[in-house]
Amino acid sequence: KYPERADGFNLFDYKNDGYIHSKDLDNALSAVGYIASPDQLQTVKQHLKIEPDSHVDFRLFTSVMAHQMISCSDSQIREAFRLFDKEGRETIDSRELKHIMTVLGVQADEEQIDDMIREVDVDGDGDIDFDEFVR
């Protein structure tokens, strides 16, 4: 139902075995637009009983995202968007997304970046605006 969530998960499923390491959880969440402070992430991990050196399957990954959605205020989401929108144009373009992915340690080529934008670009303008970001 939500392929972008699977894509974010799959970026960190290095062994293609259906699991990501718990240490990659924050980066995987960031890859799909869920930004959490270390304290917020630790609280969610404790609540869901995710151990520091464990593995997370996709079902648990979506549970973490659900907790993040509940705990993020509109102002936190807007602040995350502003961090990605380096030029202050109220959109995220492919160059900015490439930068974000590089900072997260994710190697993505131009085609992958374009695919990520197309997945959320509802209006087809080639950029991600705030409404598309939170979708």
Side-chain angles (χ1 to χ4, degrees):
K1 185 174 179 181
Y2 299 99
E4 66 276 2
R5 293 178 184 175
D7 289 344
F9 180 87
N10 291 336
L11 284 171
F12 295 92
D13 180 9
Y14 301 119
K15 295 179 182 178
N16 293 318
D17 62 357
Y19 294 91
I20 62 172
H21 196 280
S22 59
K23 69 180 172 68
D24 293 322
L25 186 58
D26 189 31
N27 288 337
L29 289 169
S30 295
V32 293
Y34 293 85
I35 309 302
S37 72
D39 289 341
Q40 289 171 319
L41 190 59
Q42 186 60 34
T43 299
V44 171
K45 285 180 176 180
Q46 287 173 344
H47 180 75
L48 295 174
K49 298 177 175 60
I50 299 173
E51 298 297 322
D53 193 31
S54 64
H55 290 84
V56 175
D57 65 11
F58 186 70
R59 180 195 56 77
L60 191 52
F61 178 71
T62 57
S63 294
V64 172
M65 286 193 302
H67 280 340
Q68 286 300 103
M69 288 175 64
I70 292 167
S71 66
C72 286
S73 69
D74 185 59
S75 64
Q76 288 172 314
I77 295 169
R78 286 188 184 281
E79 181 60 30
F81 182 80
R82 279 192 287 274
L83 290 173
F84 295 149
D85 178 21
K86 295 287 185 197
E87 296 178 7
R89 297 179 307 116
E90 298 186 9
T91 61
I92 300 169
D93 63 21
S94 61
R95 192 178 72 250
E96 290 166 322
L97 183 56
K98 174 73 173 170
H99 174 76
I100 294 163
M101 300 306 286
T102 301
V103 167
L104 292 173
V106 177
Q107 297 298 320
D109 62 29
E110 204 169 304
E111 183 179 338
Q112 291 169 316
I113 296 293
D114 289 343
D115 287 344
M116 288 179 210
I117 288 179
R118 272 193 296 276
E119 284 183 27
V120 297
D121 184 18
V122 175
D123 61 14
D125 66 356
D127 293 335
I128 302 169
D129 62 32
F130 181 74
D131 290 334
E132 293 164 335
F133 182 75
V134 297
R135 177 176 81 89

